[in-house]
């Protein structure tokens, strides 16, 4: 599986605006990588996401998806089959009267044979923990369930790249956890390339890599713990340390460096375990 994205010197402004939304963006994503793109409102992260599946086409610069330049009109239909996108508001993505019909919607449009469609819908619903809700009305589901249905509708198309554009920002904590648990499971069990657009740095900690945008420019790029511990950069971009890093930095300031115990802490449970282990070592 290729699963790669290359962006080369991408600059973009909305017509009539006169100001760049994105300026000289260059980046490459490896196959199977989970990348979080973070930034304050207006930083350009959602605009960048629309270039990564061909919803927007560059005028200045190039975007290449799975070896296909998005400027080539002939490439665009295939790119959109290989890249699936889940947006912010699940209510805007659910179009059918039942969960099963909604998950099947994209397959019907793609002309997938009926028997194959049935099998793929059944398997994807099971994978996303939605079994038993096949005949339910999407409008009656919880926020987290709705977003999992939207995620199922994206995954049933068997994409190589999944883009989550603020996909948890309208959910309550339970709904956020439902969706993020599924994303983490996908990351463990598949070679899917995941691009997550988010302003939630606690979610970004779970990814392999974090890219920080400010006013349409990349100002940070690297492993989550390294990037999200950079106090000056976060302050400059109006972002706040994730809770876990805030605790770790506070303890480090008092002479207790949890990275000596575990240098890959990303969950609260791992934080608690590291504190307990450090206490035993004292």
């Amino acid at each position: 599986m290729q699963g790669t994205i290359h962006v080369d010197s991408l600059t973009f402004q909305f017509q009539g605006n006169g100001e760049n939304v994105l300026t000289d963006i260059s980046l490459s994503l490896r196959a199977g990588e989970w990348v979080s793109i973070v930034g304050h409102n207006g930083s350009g992260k959602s605009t960048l996401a629309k270039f990564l599946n061909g919803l927007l086409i560059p005028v200045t610069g190039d975007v290449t998806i799975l070896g296909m330049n998005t400027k080539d009109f002939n490439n665009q239909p295939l790119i959109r089959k290989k890249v699936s996108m889940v947006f912010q508001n699940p209510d805007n993505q659910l179009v059918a009267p039942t969960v099963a019909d909604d998950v099947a919607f994209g397959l019907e449009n793609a002309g997938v044979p009926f028997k194959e469609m049935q099998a793929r819908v059944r398997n994807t619903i099971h994978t996303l923990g939605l079994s038993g809700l096949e005949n339910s009305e999407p409008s009656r589901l919880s926020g987290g369930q709705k977003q999992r249905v939207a995620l199922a509708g994206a995954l049933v198309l068997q994409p190589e790249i999944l883009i989550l554009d603020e996909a948890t920002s309208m959910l309550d904590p339970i709904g956020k956890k439902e969706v993020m648990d599924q994303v983490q499971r996908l990351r463990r069990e598949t070679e899917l390339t995941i691009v997550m657009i988010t302003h939630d740095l606690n979610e970004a900690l779970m990814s392999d890599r974090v890219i920080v945008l400010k006013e349409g420019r990349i100002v940070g790029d690297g492993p989550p713990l390294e990037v999200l511990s950079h106090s000056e950069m976060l302050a400059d971009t109006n972002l706040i340390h994730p809770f876990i890093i805030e605790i770790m930095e506070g303890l480090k300031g008092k002479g207790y460096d949890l990275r000596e115990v575990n240098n890959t802490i990303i969950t609260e449970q791992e934080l608690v375990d590291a504190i307990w282990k450090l206490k035993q070592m004292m």
Side-chain angles (χ1 to χ4, degrees), residues 124-256:
T124 305
I125 284 176
H126 174 73
T127 297
L128 272 295
L130 295 165
S131 298
L133 297 175
E134 290 88 345
N135 297 316
S136 299
E137 296 178 34
S139 62
R140 295 181 179 274
L141 301 179
S142 69
Q145 289 171 328
K146 288 178 182 179
Q147 198 62 297
R148 281 191 283 146
V149 174
L151 186 56
L155 293 175
V156 77
L157 296 169
Q158 298 179 344
E160 294 189 28
I161 300 166
L162 175 66
I163 300 175
L164 305 171
D165 187 5
E166 300 279 11
T168 66
S169 65
M170 296 186 69
L171 303 180
D172 61 24
I174 293 174
K176 283 177 182 279
K177 185 177 186 306
E178 288 179 13
V179 174
M180 292 308 300
D181 283 350
Q182 293 300 329
V183 175
Q184 285 183 288
R185 187 191 56 73
L186 288 168
R187 178 66 183 84
R188 290 193 304 268
E189 298 176 3
T190 73
E191 296 180 43
L192 193 66
T193 302
I194 300 172
V195 181
M196 186 170 72
I197 311 299
T198 184
H199 63 269
D200 188 334
L201 301 193
N202 293 296
E203 291 180 353
L205 266 180
M206 303 175 191
S207 56
D208 301 315
R209 175 181 168 198
V210 173
I211 295 172
V212 184
L213 291 184
K214 179 189 177 185
E215 298 176 354
R217 295 179 182 271
I218 294 176
V219 295
D221 185 353
L225 283 175
E226 177 183 313
V227 172
L228 300 180
S229 296
H230 197 308
S231 299
E232 290 183 7
M233 182 196 65
L234 292 183
D236 188 50
T237 52
N238 294 316
L239 297 172
I240 300 172
H241 281 304
F243 170 76
I244 289 170
I245 291 181
E246 192 73 33
I247 297 299
M248 292 174 65
E249 292 299 307
L251 289 172
K252 186 177 180 180
K254 296 182 179 297
Y256 306 108

Side-chain angles (χ1 to χ4, degrees), residues 89-100:
N89 189 341
D91 289 319
N92 293 340
Q93 301 169 80
L94 306 179
V95 297
T98 70
V99 167

